[in-house]
Structures are given as C-alpha cells and as structure tokens.
C-alpha cells in the first residue's frame, strides 16, 4: 500500500510539532512547507535524524515550493502569525487571511483532492476563507477547535480529580474564541457525569479556564501561542481521516442548517473519517447552552461579514 502524503504549511511552532506527531504515528510521508528558506528544510532534517531513535519510517521533507506538495491526501495549514499577550485571536485576522489566501491557492493548484485542516487563527473565519478560496467541497475542510479545547478541558478535569487523562471525556462546541461553549453536562469520567464528582463552583471555574486556556498560555510564553496541544489535536484529526476512524470529535465543520446554522463553519460534534466531515451529530442543548452557542455563532458571523470574503 502506497504511503499517504501529508503536507504541513507553516514550519513554525505548531507546524514543526505537527510534523513530529504525524511522523511518530507513521501516518504517512510528511512535507513541511514554509515561506522562509532553510527553516522547513532544517526542521525536517532534524526530525529525520530523530527517526532511528523513535523508530519511525515516515519521510519528512522540507520545502519552499508548492510543487513538492503535489497530490497530498491531507494538508494542515498553520501558516500565519500567532498571538502576543493582550491580543485576541481576531486581532490576527487581516494578516492571516492574506497569508491563508496565498497558501490555499498554492495548495489546491497541486493537490485538488486534498482534505484541508486549518489551524491558523481566528479559526472559524479562516476555515470559511479556506472554503471560499479553495473551491473545495465543504466536507473536505475542517478547522481545529473542539478537538483542542476539549482536550484542554479534559486535562483540567483529570488534574482536578487526580484521575487518568484517558478516562475523561469533554465536549466543547462553538467558535474557537473566548465565546466557545464547554458543555458540562456532556463531560464524564468513565461515563460518570462530572457533576457527581466535582462541586459546581469548581466545574464553573474549569469551564472558564477552558475558554481562556489559549490566552493563559500566551500570557505565560509572552512570545507566541500554544503549540503542543494544538499540534497533537490536529494530528489526531488527520489520523481520523487517513485511517477512516469515524472519530466523533468536535471541530469547525460546515453547517447547512444543523443547530440552526446555515452556510458557515462552526465547532460542532462531527464524525470524522475518510470522507472528512462525514456527519454532524446534533445533540440536545438546554436553553443556556443554546444561548451561549448562538452568541458564539454571532461573534464568528460578524467577523466574516466584516471581512467580506467571497462577496
Ligand atoms: N506561507 C508559508 N508559511 C508562512 C507564510 C506563508 N505565506 N506566512 C507565514 N508563514 C510561516 C512563518 O514563516 C512561520 O514559520 O508560518 C509560521 C508560523 O509559525 P509561528 O510564528 O511559530 O506561529 P505558530 O505558533 O506556529 O502559530 C501559527 O497557528 O495556532 C495558530 O494562532 C496561531 O495563527 C497562528 C498559527
């Protein structure tokens, strides 16, 4: 069986770590592309030199030329500027939408059948822009939101209780911004609702921490944003596609009426497999959850309207 080909655009913090996870999981051969000469080549070579130790045979190659990305099965886009302390994800919008346009056009020219996974922020707007600029069918494009935010919430719950990270599940929907919606009713530890294990005030502070988790790391790092969890989460999404796992993961997917949302991408629970976003699962939301979700949708919508993409 021929190996799969995965391109990662942007060889910065998130991109290089994504290449590392993809290679160690042997999901395919990896092409790492960046606009800066030498950086993707250097980081790829460094990764290849780790292969004998970690015993992976994925081939990682760095490039500045889109021709080398030809016929990729999955393309992960991390190119763009990250946040600095005090910035919100939406402050990145004008710079990153310009970068995204160049990148998407370069990618679809050589890989017209690829699945696109977007990491660049502000996430939900960038996914929408990638859809418009690429001309790809909407099920082929998804954005990294809930797979990351849910993992953050899971880690906070596991640390609170001192239990295994593997036994905690949590669902975060809505936009990948401060208005995201952690769903406490759907968070469980081995099937036990967290409301039976953690007092309400502590659950509320875990939910608040989840919403601001990206900013917490930006404030600590001072020179950039998080990259370990984001890269691990997007590699997990790539794995779901490449291995047709039918994973149920919250991610920014195209809604055509689900949850009352039409013609835009927003974080919802999705079955992810060989056909990308295969099915959106519509779970029941109570009044507060629905109001918070609608608020998050409106925040993304107004950013998209401001940008006037595709109008
Ligand atoms: N084409 C290719 N690569 C580009 C382009 C472009 N047009 N413009 C910028 N890049 C590259 C930069 O050269 C840099 O190597 O994107 C990389 C970004 O890396 P970092 O600055 O380390 O940023 P990172 O932390 O990886 O975050 C990237 O992901 O999580 C989001 O908000 C974050 O939008 C940001 C993105």
């Amino acid at each position: 069986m021929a190996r799969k080909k995965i391109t990662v655009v942007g060889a910065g913090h998130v991109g290089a770590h994504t290449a590392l996870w993809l290679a160690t999981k042997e999901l395919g051969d990896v092409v790492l592309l960046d606009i800066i000469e030498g950086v993707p080549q250097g980081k790829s070579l460094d990764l290849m030199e780790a292969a004998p130790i970690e015993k992976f045979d994925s081939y990682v190659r760095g490039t500045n030329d889109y021709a080398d990305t030809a016929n990729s099965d999955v393309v992960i886009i991390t190119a763009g500027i990250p946040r600095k302390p005090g910035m919100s994800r939406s402050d990145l919008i004008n710079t990153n939408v310009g970068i995204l346009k160049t990148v998407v056009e370069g990618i679809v020219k050589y890989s017209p059948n690829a699945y696109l996974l977007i990491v660049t922020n502000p996430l939900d707007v960038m996914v929408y822009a990638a859809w418009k600029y690429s001309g790809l069918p909407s099920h082929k494009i998804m954005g990294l939101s809930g797979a990351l935010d849910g993992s953050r919430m899971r880690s906070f719950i596991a640390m609170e209780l001192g239990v295994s990270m593997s036994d905690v599940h949590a669902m975060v929907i809505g936009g990948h911004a401060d208005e995201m919606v952690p769903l406490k009713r759907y968070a469980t530890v081995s099937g036990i609702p967290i409301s039976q294990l953690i007092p309400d005030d502590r659950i509320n502070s875990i939910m608040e921490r989840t919403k601001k988790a990206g900013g917490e790391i930006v404030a600590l790092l001072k020179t950039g944003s998080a990259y370990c969890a984001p890269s691990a989460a997007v590699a997990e999404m790539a794995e779901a596609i490449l291995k047709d796992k039918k994973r149920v993961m919250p991610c920014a997917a195209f809604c055509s009426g689900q949850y009352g949302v039409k013609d835009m991408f927003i974080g919802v629970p999705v079955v992810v497999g060989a056909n990308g976003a295969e099915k959106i699962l519509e779970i029941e939301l109570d009044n507060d959850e629905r109001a918070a979700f609608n608020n998050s949708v409106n925040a993304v919508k107004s950013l998209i309207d401001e940008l006037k993409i595709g109008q």
Side-chain angles (χ1 to χ4, degrees):
M1 196 175 69
R3 286 189 195 175
K4 300 286 189 180
K5 182 168 177 179
I6 312 152
T7 287
V8 181
V9 185
H13 287 94
V14 180
H17 278 77
T18 302
L20 172 64
W21 297 113
L22 296 170
T24 51
K25 286 168 179 267
E26 289 190 321
L27 294 178
D29 287 336
V30 180
V31 176
L32 188 56
L33 182 144
D34 201 281
I35 200 166
I36 302 176
E37 277 178 33
V39 168
Q41 292 85 349
K43 292 193 179 180
S44 298
L45 186 57
D46 195 15
L47 268 175
M48 290 300 281
E49 292 166 5
I53 303 164
E54 286 300 314
K55 300 181 179 54
F56 58 81
D57 286 306
S58 289
Y59 196 94
V60 188
R61 169 178 185 194
T63 186
N64 309 109
D65 183 352
Y66 281 93
D68 293 326
T69 69
N71 301 317
S72 293
D73 297 288
V74 171
V75 176
I76 298 171
I77 299 179
T78 77
I81 53 164
R83 282 195 279 174
K84 300 229 162 53
M87 286 173 93
S88 77
R89 292 183 182 90
S90 57
D91 292 334
L92 310 172
I93 199 162
N94 289 320
T95 309
N96 283 355
V97 83
I99 293 173
L100 190 94
K101 184 170 192 290
T102 323
V103 169
V104 165
E105 287 169 356
I107 286 298
V108 291
K109 180 172 173 202
Y110 291 100
S111 299
N113 298 314
Y115 287 87
L116 302 188
L117 298 177
I118 313 298
V119 182
T120 307
N121 278 310
L123 193 274
D124 307 83
V125 182
M126 292 300 137
V127 186
Y128 182 86
W131 175 54
K132 286 287 177 187
Y133 295 143
S134 67
L136 288 173
S138 55
H139 71 275
K140 292 202 137 189
I141 305 175
M142 278 177 280
L144 171 68
S145 51
L148 166 62
D149 304 319
S151 180
R152 286 173 165 160
M153 186 167 167
R154 289 164 67 190
S155 72
F156 298 149
I157 293 168
M159 289 189 282
E160 175 81 13
L161 290 170
V163 301
S164 168
M165 298 275 176
S166 331
D167 290 330
V168 180
H169 289 274
M171 177 75 69
V172 179
I173 60 171
H176 184 55
D178 292 351
E179 299 85 9
M180 70 178 72
V181 188
L183 296 174
K184 71 173 162 190
R185 292 189 308 132
Y186 290 100
T188 63
V189 180
S190 282
I192 308 161
I194 56 166
S195 57
Q196 294 186 25
L197 304 171
I198 306 175
D200 226 33
D201 61 323
R202 288 298 309 151
I203 295 180
N204 289 339
S205 68
I206 287 172
M207 286 167 57
E208 280 312 303
R209 190 177 181 190
T210 301
K211 289 192 205 172
K212 300 192 170 76
E216 183 179 354
I217 293 189
V218 171
L220 289 166
L221 296 182
K222 297 184 182 68
T223 53
S225 52
Y227 51 91
C228 287
S231 56
V234 77
E236 190 181 41
M237 289 173 71
E239 182 175 29
I241 296 173
L242 292 161
K243 293 188 177 171
D244 192 20
K245 297 207 38 119
K246 316 285 188 203
R247 291 288 310 274
V248 176
M249 334 172 80
C251 43
F254 187 79
C255 292
S256 51
Q258 296 92 339
Y259 293 94
V261 179
K262 217 168 163 18
D263 295 341
M264 67 180 264
F265 292 77
I266 194 83
V268 286
V270 183
V271 178
V272 184
N275 288 313
E278 297 188 351
K279 187 177 193 306
I280 292 175
L281 302 181
E282 284 198 80
I283 57 174
E284 171 229 308
L285 301 178
D286 67 21
N287 287 342
D288 289 348
E289 291 159 350
R290 182 155 297 272
F293 180 78
N294 289 343
N295 177 47
S296 184
V297 169
N298 289 335
V300 173
K301 209 178 257 171
S302 51
L303 284 176
I304 292 174
D305 288 346
E306 259 174 55
L307 266 185
K308 300 191 172 31
I309 303 162
Q311 288 177 17

